[in-house]
Amino acid sequence: MRADLRQDLPRLMAVMVSAFEPTWGEAWTKRQVEDSLLTSLCRYFLISPRGLPVAPDEQAAGFTLSRSIAGETELLLLAVDPQFRRQGLGALLVQQLIEETRDQAGTRIFLEMRKGNPAEHLYRNLGFVPVGERPNYYKTTSGERIDAVTFALPI
Ligand SMILES: CC(C)(COP(=O)(O)OP(=O)(O)OC[C@H]1O[C@@H](n2cnc3c(N)ncnc32)[C@H](O)[C@@H]1OP(=O)(O)O)[C@@H](O)C(=O)NCCC(=O)NCCS
């Protein structure tokens, strides 16, 4: 494993475990994250509690995991540790991805979200618009089916 990832993976997974409610079954395992990062198409970004890129040995407050293919960036995961929420870190993380996508001459960012997730406010505030729905796409740990909504932002 790359040296930077060896240090970052535990920090990212600490946020993963604290941020996602088990009911929804949305959190990825360490193995899933590691496997995704084996391809150069996927990348992550860790933000500090102060809203900056994390320094070595600093705790991460949130992260994004994303994948870019042919000019399109997919936001795979966005998470902020509950103790650091509603301080603008989630919006900063998405803005960082928007800027990075723009720098790489990307044309669109999209994401899939569980219908009813309050994160929708954050995405809409940043200009994302709903472009599609997948009925019964998600399955909760209790077996309930929930629709997915796809949001997109042209760059
Ligand atoms: C979604 C998430 C990343 C937001 O992180 P955050 O740091 O609290 O977000 P911000 O502080 O940048 O919020 C920006 C705006 O989004 C909206 N927003 C964020 N969380 C919200 C909530 N729970 N309810 C309503 N609006 C919310 C608000 O408009 C907020 O602005 P305001 O605080 O000035 O009102 C965080 O709640 C989280 O990790 N949730 C669990 C994982 C998840 O569901 N990820 C998204 C998967 S699609």
Side-chain angles (χ1 to χ4, degrees), residues 7 9 25 34 39 49-50 61 91 96 101 107 127 133 137 146 153:
Q7 188 187 24
L9 201 51
E34 251 180 305
T39 130
R50 296 170 300 137
Q96 186 277 339
T101 303
T107 53
E133 290 199 9
Y137 185 71
I146 300 181
L153 176 75

Side-chain angles (χ1 to χ4, degrees), residues 19-20 78-80 85-91 113 117-119 121-123 125:
F20 287 95
L78 164 71
V80 170
R85 285 190 190 160
R86 303 307 288 263
Q87 297 172 33
L89 294 179
M113 195 201 76
N117 188 332
H121 299 282
L122 188 161
Y123 298 133
N125 287 349

